[in-house]
PDB file of all heavy atoms in Angstrom:
ATOM      1  N   GLY A 292      39.208  18.030  11.103  1.00  0.00           N
ATOM      2  CA  GLY A 292      39.991  16.932  11.650  1.00  0.00           C
ATOM      3  C   GLY A 292      39.274  16.037  12.634  1.00  0.00           C
ATOM      4  O   GLY A 292      39.771  14.955  12.960  1.00  0.00           O
ATOM      5  N   ARG A 293      38.144  16.450  13.141  1.00  0.00           N
ATOM      6  CA  ARG A 293      37.406  15.598  14.083  1.00  0.00           C
ATOM      7  C   ARG A 293      36.342  14.798  13.330  1.00  0.00           C
ATOM      8  O   ARG A 293      36.148  14.974  12.127  1.00  0.00           O
ATOM      9  CB  ARG A 293      36.745  16.469  15.146  1.00  0.00           C
ATOM     10  CG  ARG A 293      35.765  17.491  14.590  1.00  0.00           C
ATOM     11  CD  ARG A 293      35.170  18.361  15.682  1.00  0.00           C
ATOM     12  NE  ARG A 293      34.420  19.478  15.140  1.00  0.00           N
ATOM     13  CZ  ARG A 293      33.179  19.402  14.681  1.00  0.00           C
ATOM     14  NH1 ARG A 293      32.554  18.234  14.667  1.00  0.00           N
ATOM     15  NH2 ARG A 293      32.555  20.472  14.224  1.00  0.00           N
ATOM     16  N   ALA A 294      35.690  13.941  14.057  1.00  0.00           N
ATOM     17  CA  ALA A 294      34.590  13.193  13.461  1.00  0.00           C
ATOM     18  C   ALA A 294      33.390  14.109  13.238  1.00  0.00           C
ATOM     19  O   ALA A 294      33.243  15.137  13.903  1.00  0.00           O
ATOM     20  CB  ALA A 294      34.193  12.033  14.376  1.00  0.00           C
ATOM     21  N   TRP A 295      32.557  13.732  12.290  1.00  0.00           N
ATOM     22  CA  TRP A 295      31.267  14.394  12.166  1.00  0.00           C
ATOM     23  C   TRP A 295      30.447  14.033  13.407  1.00  0.00           C
ATOM     24  O   TRP A 295      30.559  12.934  13.930  1.00  0.00           O
ATOM     25  CB  TRP A 295      30.524  13.916  10.924  1.00  0.00           C
ATOM     26  CG  TRP A 295      31.228  14.135   9.625  1.00  0.00           C
ATOM     27  CD1 TRP A 295      32.058  13.260   8.995  1.00  0.00           C
ATOM     28  CD2 TRP A 295      31.146  15.289   8.778  1.00  0.00           C
ATOM     29  NE1 TRP A 295      32.506  13.794   7.810  1.00  0.00           N
ATOM     30  CE2 TRP A 295      31.958  15.044   7.649  1.00  0.00           C
ATOM     31  CE3 TRP A 295      30.462  16.498   8.870  1.00  0.00           C
ATOM     32  CZ2 TRP A 295      32.105  15.960   6.621  1.00  0.00           C
ATOM     33  CZ3 TRP A 295      30.605  17.415   7.833  1.00  0.00           C
ATOM     34  CH2 TRP A 295      31.422  17.151   6.727  1.00  0.00           C
ATOM     35  N   GLN A 296      29.644  14.949  13.867  1.00  0.00           N
ATOM     36  CA  GLN A 296      28.860  14.697  15.070  1.00  0.00           C
ATOM     37  C   GLN A 296      27.363  14.855  14.783  1.00  0.00           C
ATOM     38  O   GLN A 296      26.953  15.790  14.098  1.00  0.00           O
ATOM     39  CB  GLN A 296      29.251  15.656  16.192  1.00  0.00           C
ATOM     40  CG  GLN A 296      30.650  15.411  16.736  1.00  0.00           C
ATOM     41  CD  GLN A 296      30.976  16.374  17.847  1.00  0.00           C
ATOM     42  OE1 GLN A 296      31.197  17.560  17.621  1.00  0.00           O
ATOM     43  NE2 GLN A 296      31.011  15.861  19.070  1.00  0.00           N
ATOM     44  N   VAL A 297      26.588  13.921  15.320  1.00  0.00           N
ATOM     45  CA  VAL A 297      25.135  13.982  15.170  1.00  0.00           C
ATOM     46  C   VAL A 297      24.496  13.743  16.536  1.00  0.00           C
ATOM     47  O   VAL A 297      25.079  13.101  17.405  1.00  0.00           O
ATOM     48  CB  VAL A 297      24.608  12.945  14.152  1.00  0.00           C
ATOM     49  CG1 VAL A 297      25.190  13.201  12.776  1.00  0.00           C
ATOM     50  CG2 VAL A 297      24.938  11.522  14.607  1.00  0.00           C
ATOM     51  N   GLY A 298      23.320  14.279  16.700  1.00  0.00           N
ATOM     52  CA  GLY A 298      22.587  14.089  17.943  1.00  0.00           C
ATOM     53  C   GLY A 298      21.372  13.214  17.722  1.00  0.00           C
ATOM     54  O   GLY A 298      20.708  13.306  16.683  1.00  0.00           O
ATOM     55  N   ILE A 299      21.080  12.358  18.683  1.00  0.00           N
ATOM     56  CA  ILE A 299      19.897  11.495  18.636  1.00  0.00           C
ATOM     57  C   ILE A 299      18.821  12.124  19.509  1.00  0.00           C
ATOM     58  O   ILE A 299      19.029  12.355  20.703  1.00  0.00           O
ATOM     59  CB  ILE A 299      20.211  10.072  19.154  1.00  0.00           C
ATOM     60  CG1 ILE A 299      21.411   9.489  18.395  1.00  0.00           C
ATOM     61  CG2 ILE A 299      18.989   9.182  19.019  1.00  0.00           C
ATOM     62  CD1 ILE A 299      21.206   9.365  16.915  1.00  0.00           C
ATOM     63  N   ASN A 300      17.687  12.416  18.919  1.00  0.00           N
ATOM     64  CA  ASN A 300      16.630  13.087  19.658  1.00  0.00           C
ATOM     65  C   ASN A 300      16.012  12.194  20.724  1.00  0.00           C
ATOM     66  O   ASN A 300      15.965  10.963  20.581  1.00  0.00           O
ATOM     67  CB  ASN A 300      15.544  13.586  18.711  1.00  0.00           C
ATOM     68  CG  ASN A 300      15.944  14.876  18.028  1.00  0.00           C
ATOM     69  OD1 ASN A 300      16.622  15.715  18.617  1.00  0.00           O
ATOM     70  ND2 ASN A 300      15.549  15.042  16.788  1.00  0.00           N
ATOM     71  N   ASP A 301      15.553  12.825  21.771  1.00  0.00           N
ATOM     72  CA  ASP A 301      14.905  12.130  22.880  1.00  0.00           C
ATOM     73  C   ASP A 301      13.456  11.832  22.496  1.00  0.00           C
ATOM     74  O   ASP A 301      12.695  12.755  22.220  1.00  0.00           O
ATOM     75  CB  ASP A 301      14.947  13.028  24.128  1.00  0.00           C
ATOM     76  CG  ASP A 301      14.475  12.326  25.388  1.00  0.00           C
ATOM     77  OD1 ASP A 301      13.655  11.390  25.280  1.00  0.00           O
ATOM     78  OD2 ASP A 301      14.903  12.728  26.483  1.00  0.00           O
ATOM     79  N   PRO A 302      13.049  10.558  22.466  1.00  0.00           N
ATOM     80  CA  PRO A 302      11.673  10.227  22.067  1.00  0.00           C
ATOM     81  C   PRO A 302      10.612  10.840  22.972  1.00  0.00           C
ATOM     82  O   PRO A 302       9.482  11.049  22.544  1.00  0.00           O
ATOM     83  CB  PRO A 302      11.639   8.691  22.163  1.00  0.00           C
ATOM     84  CG  PRO A 302      13.059   8.260  22.105  1.00  0.00           C
ATOM     85  CD  PRO A 302      13.848   9.361  22.752  1.00  0.00           C
ATOM     86  N   GLU A 303      10.978  11.128  24.221  1.00  0.00           N
ATOM     87  CA  GLU A 303       9.996  11.615  25.187  1.00  0.00           C
ATOM     88  C   GLU A 303      10.040  13.123  25.389  1.00  0.00           C
ATOM     89  O   GLU A 303       9.185  13.678  26.083  1.00  0.00           O
ATOM     90  CB  GLU A 303      10.210  10.907  26.524  1.00  0.00           C
ATOM     91  CG  GLU A 303      10.084   9.390  26.444  1.00  0.00           C
ATOM     92  CD  GLU A 303      10.363   8.722  27.771  1.00  0.00           C
ATOM     93  OE1 GLU A 303       9.542   8.869  28.678  1.00  0.00           O
ATOM     94  OE2 GLU A 303      11.425   8.075  27.887  1.00  0.00           O
ATOM     95  N   ARG A 304      11.033  13.783  24.789  1.00  0.00           N
ATOM     96  CA  ARG A 304      11.155  15.239  24.968  1.00  0.00           C
ATOM     97  C   ARG A 304      11.457  15.875  23.613  1.00  0.00           C
ATOM     98  O   ARG A 304      12.611  15.983  23.227  1.00  0.00           O
ATOM     99  CB  ARG A 304      12.249  15.573  25.965  1.00  0.00           C
ATOM    100  CG  ARG A 304      11.999  15.079  27.374  1.00  0.00           C
ATOM    101  CD  ARG A 304      13.102  15.542  28.318  1.00  0.00           C
ATOM    102  NE  ARG A 304      14.402  15.010  27.921  1.00  0.00           N
ATOM    103  CZ  ARG A 304      15.561  15.333  28.512  1.00  0.00           C
ATOM    104  NH1 ARG A 304      15.551  16.192  29.513  1.00  0.00           N
ATOM    105  NH2 ARG A 304      16.697  14.801  28.102  1.00  0.00           N
ATOM    106  N   PRO A 305      10.423  16.254  22.870  1.00  0.00           N
ATOM    107  CA  PRO A 305      10.634  16.840  21.539  1.00  0.00           C
ATOM    108  C   PRO A 305      11.584  18.026  21.589  1.00  0.00           C
ATOM    109  O   PRO A 305      11.490  18.894  22.462  1.00  0.00           O
ATOM    110  CB  PRO A 305       9.217  17.287  21.140  1.00  0.00           C
ATOM    111  CG  PRO A 305       8.302  16.393  21.921  1.00  0.00           C
ATOM    112  CD  PRO A 305       8.997  16.151  23.225  1.00  0.00           C
ATOM    113  N   GLY A 306      12.548  18.024  20.677  1.00  0.00           N
ATOM    114  CA  GLY A 306      13.512  19.109  20.617  1.00  0.00           C
ATOM    115  C   GLY A 306      14.718  18.940  21.504  1.00  0.00           C
ATOM    116  O   GLY A 306      15.654  19.744  21.432  1.00  0.00           O
TER     117      GLY A 306
END
Side-chain angles (χ1 to χ4, degrees):
R293 60 182 170 80
W295 301 92
Q296 292 181 288
V297 299
I299 306 300
N300 281 325
D301 188 332
E303 301 177 70
R304 296 184 298 175

